[in-house]
């Protein structure tokens, strides 16, 4: 690593030479933003949008998949479990790949893989081949979100980076909405192969502008070359340095605790629960799944405004979301009748919509804790949290359904155990993480007078809810 540039202080009275040189951080220029930035960023977000459609497509086809492949609830949950296992396992490697190879290469590879996985899932004649296709899809899907976060920070000024990250999340949820509103009726109308193979065309459509027009950064804003250390040393150093920060750990556990209830509901078990356990029609159940997504998109902006005005609200908002989710789940599962009333199910779906926005608070703890060169790795570690919790719950619900004769009340009670674990970890880590964050902020603003006039690099900070700094990897 090259040494930092220096400036010389003014000579004092009677001095014969310049004062000792003071270290100065290198000068960074913000990307310009503008119309071209929006166009390039839109290409990346479109890829993420399609990836989310493919990721959540099984959520509206769980019952059809069980019939097509002649599997029980445990085997059915393995589809989503394997997909999420691959996704979570790829987060850190993807963060490192983005730092090393650039956004375009990683995003292009991801689009090719998730499109191939969707086509393979459509044409698979057996359960085993369908599993392999979902794993391939999960691998490609894993390369999209962190790449889009990085794209936003490379093309937009630091003050706009958090907003772009939040908007990317909202567009991703819109992909979930498409799965519910479009893919579900198409599947029931034309059948399995035409529906899934036809949806794969969307992957080919976004691949064309991605290859032709997407650029990693604006001209004249090339990132600094990576350190010359060997790959093995680079990987170990990035992971170890990111993980030792309490803010990274806190970010992972916030993401872990807040995201998974809605993810499990939307990804696989929501439709069977509403149809088989609550006696609703597929149309009504689909409407409730849509309500979760719509609530997520609307409340994301609300959460951003709350935390943007008061950073101290991050922990209370995350824990409040978990508590409210647990309360509504408990009310539905403990309702004395055979079926919960519609107003209670609507309340549950509205509250599940808060899980996605609350999970973004995890990135708001991880980003300020890590310098710019570790943002990819830190984002990957944080993003693993919710998907690890989702994998665990998907498997637990499937196993408990088989063991109890499809007793959804017992099966979904597994949600509370993971929420309790996550709350324990958040309470354990929050003091150290917040103290370290305050310490970093003091260090950042304590600029010596001799170098106060020199332009300093933008500091990494959380998403739009934090109100300062670039968001992204």
């Amino acid at each position: 690593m090259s040494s930092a540039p220096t400036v010389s202080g003014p000579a004092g009275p009677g001095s014969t030479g310049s004062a000792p040189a003071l270290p100065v951080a290198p000068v960074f220029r913000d990307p310009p933003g503008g119309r071209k930035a929006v166009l390039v960023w839109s290409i990346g977000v479109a890829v993420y949008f399609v990836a989310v459609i493919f990721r959540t497509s099984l959520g509206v086809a769980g019952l059809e998949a069980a019939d097509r492949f002649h599997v029980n609830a445990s085997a059915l949950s393995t589809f989503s479990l394997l997909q999420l296992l691959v996704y979570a396992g790829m987060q850190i490697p993807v963060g490192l790949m983005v730092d090393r190879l650039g956004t375009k290469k990683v995003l292009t590879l991801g689009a090719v893989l998730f499109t191939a996985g969707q086509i393979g899932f459509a044409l698979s004649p057996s359960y085993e081949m369908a599993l392999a296709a979902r794993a391939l899809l999960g691998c490609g899907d894993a390369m999209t979100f962190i790449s889009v976060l990085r794209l936003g920070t490379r093309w937009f000024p630091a003050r706009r980076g958090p907003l772009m990250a939040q908007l990317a999340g909202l567009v991703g949820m819109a992909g979930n909405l498409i799965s519910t509103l479009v893919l579900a009726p198409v599947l029931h109308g034309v059948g399995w192969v035409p529906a899934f193979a036809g949806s794969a065309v969307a992957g080919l459509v976004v691949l064309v502008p991605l290859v032709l027009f997407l650029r990693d950064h604006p001209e004249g804003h090339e990132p600094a070359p990576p350190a010359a250390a060997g790959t093995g040393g680079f990987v170990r150093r990035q992971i170890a340095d990111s993980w030792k920060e309490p803010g990274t750990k806190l970010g992972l556990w916030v993401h872990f605790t807040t995201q998974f209830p809605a993810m499990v509901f939307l990804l696989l078990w929501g439709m069977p629960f509403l149809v088989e356990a609550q006696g609703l029609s597929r149309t009504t159940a689909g409407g409730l799944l849509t309500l979760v997504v719509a609530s997520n998109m609307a409340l994301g902006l609300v959460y951003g405004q709350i935390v943007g005005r008061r950073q101290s609200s991050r922990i209370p908002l995350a824990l409040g979301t978990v508590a409210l989710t647990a309360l509504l789940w408990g009310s539905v599962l403990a309702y004395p009748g055979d079926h919960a009333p519609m107003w209670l199910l609507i309340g549950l779906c509205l509250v599940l919509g808060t899980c996605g926005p609350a999970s973004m608070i995890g990135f708001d703890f991880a980003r300020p804790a890590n310098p710019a060169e570790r943002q990819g790795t830190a984002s990957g570690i944080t993003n693993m949290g919710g998907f690890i919790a989702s994998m665990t719950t998907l498997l637990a619900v499937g196993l408990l359904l088989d063991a109890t004769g499809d007793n959804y009340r017992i099966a979904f009670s597994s949600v509370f155990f993971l929420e309790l674990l996550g709350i324990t970890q958040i309470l354990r880590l929050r003091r150290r993480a917040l103290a370290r964050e305050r310490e970093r902020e003091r260090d950042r603003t304590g600029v010596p007078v001799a170098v106060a006039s020199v332009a300093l690099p933008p500091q990494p900070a959380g998403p739009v809810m934090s109100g300062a700094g670039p968001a992204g990897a």
Side-chain angles (χ1 to χ4, degrees):
M1 181 179 296
S2 61
S3 59
T6 61
V7 295
S8 296
S15 64
T16 59
S18 59
L22 296 175
V24 178
V27 177
F28 290 88
R29 293 186 298 124
D30 257 356
R35 184 175 302 176
K36 185 175 181 180
V38 172
L39 292 175
V40 172
W41 177 83
S42 297
I43 295 172
V45 170
V47 177
Y48 176 56
F49 174 74
V50 174
V52 173
I53 294 176
F54 292 178
R55 179 201 304 171
T56 58
S57 59
L58 186 60
V60 298
L63 299 177
E64 289 81 359
D67 293 338
R68 178 178 177 83
F69 300 111
H70 309 291
V71 294
N72 59 15
S74 298
L76 181 61
S77 67
T78 304
F79 277 124
S80 296
L81 178 65
L82 178 61
Q83 182 181 336
L84 291 183
L85 178 63
V86 173
Y87 186 103
M90 286 290 293
Q91 289 306 293
I92 293 177
V94 167
L96 296 168
M97 287 170 63
V98 169
D99 289 336
R100 284 290 193 180
L101 303 178
T103 302
K104 181 173 182 176
K105 291 179 180 178
V106 176
L107 207 53
T108 301
L109 178 59
V112 170
L113 292 178
F114 68 60
T115 301
Q118 187 77 342
I119 294 174
F121 191 61
L123 303 177
S124 294
S126 66
Y127 173 70
E128 290 76 16
M129 291 187 65
L131 276 179
R134 293 305 284 187
L136 189 63
L137 192 156
C139 185
D141 180 20
M143 299 181 179
T144 58
F145 185 62
I146 293 178
S147 296
V148 171
L149 289 181
R150 181 63 171 254
L151 201 63
T153 62
R154 291 298 188 195
W155 277 91
F156 292 92
R159 67 183 184 279
R160 298 295 183 193
L163 175 62
M164 307 318 293
Q166 198 74 330
L167 289 175
L170 293 179
V171 172
M173 288 308 300
N176 203 326
L177 199 63
I178 293 297
S179 292
T180 304
L181 296 180
V182 178
L183 185 59
V186 170
L187 175 65
H188 300 147
V190 302
W192 182 277
V193 173
F196 278 94
S199 66
V201 174
L204 302 176
V205 170
V206 297
L207 191 59
V208 174
L210 170 58
V211 172
L212 294 180
F213 302 115
L214 190 134
R215 299 292 180 268
D216 287 347
H217 47 74
E219 186 177 352
H221 291 265
E222 293 79 5
T231 301
F234 171 78
V235 170
R236 287 192 297 271
R237 185 175 63 253
Q238 289 285 96
I239 296 174
D241 289 347
S242 297
W243 183 246
K244 74 180 181 182
E245 291 289 347
T248 304
K249 296 176 183 177
L250 179 59
L252 180 146
W253 282 106
V254 168
H255 200 268
F256 176 101
T257 314
T258 54
Q259 188 202 45
F260 79 94
M263 177 70 71
V264 169
F265 197 79
L266 292 171
L267 200 60
L268 182 61
W269 291 120
M271 180 70 77
F273 169 74
L274 295 172
V275 173
E276 296 181 346
Q278 298 301 318
L280 302 180
S281 67
R282 290 176 182 270
T283 302
T284 303
L288 289 176
L289 293 179
T290 304
L291 183 60
V292 177
V293 178
S295 173
N296 184 303
M297 297 175 69
L299 291 172
L301 299 177
V302 176
Y303 272 51
Q305 290 298 319
I306 293 174
V307 185
R309 290 187 170 93
R310 294 192 55 156
Q311 263 199 326
S312 60
S313 67
R314 289 175 295 175
I315 290 290
L317 195 56
L319 293 178
T321 299
V322 175
L324 191 59
T325 304
L327 175 63
L328 266 293
W329 259 125
S331 299
V332 170
L333 298 180
Y335 192 79
D338 292 336
H339 306 307
M342 180 57 69
W343 63 266
L344 187 54
L345 294 176
I346 291 174
L348 172 64
C349 291
L350 288 172
V351 169
L352 288 177
T354 65
C355 294
S359 71
M360 291 298 292
I361 299 174
F363 295 99
D364 197 38
F365 287 114
R367 288 192 182 105
N370 293 272
E373 61 270 19
R374 290 207 307 263
Q375 290 298 305
T377 306
S379 295
I381 291 173
T382 301
N383 208 27
M384 287 174 60
F387 290 94
I388 291 174
S390 297
M391 282 189 302
T392 305
T393 309
L394 283 168
L395 180 60
V397 170
L399 292 174
L400 288 171
L401 285 175
D402 287 339
T404 61
D406 292 338
N407 188 322
Y408 279 90
R409 293 189 179 187
I410 295 177
F412 272 115
S413 295
S414 58
V415 169
F416 304 122
F417 290 98
L418 269 73
E419 287 185 326
L420 180 60
L421 171 62
I423 289 173
T424 302
Q425 294 299 317
I426 291 171
L427 294 177
R428 182 178 69 87
L429 292 165
R430 76 188 192 284
R431 291 186 183 276
R432 285 183 57 209
L434 295 176
R436 178 67 172 148
E437 189 174 299
R438 289 191 294 268
E439 178 184 327
R440 282 183 177 274
E441 180 63 18
R442 285 195 300 268
D443 293 342
R444 183 180 73 86
T445 56
V447 182
V449 175
V451 297
S453 62
V454 180
L456 296 177
Q459 299 298 314
V464 66
M465 51 192 75
S466 70

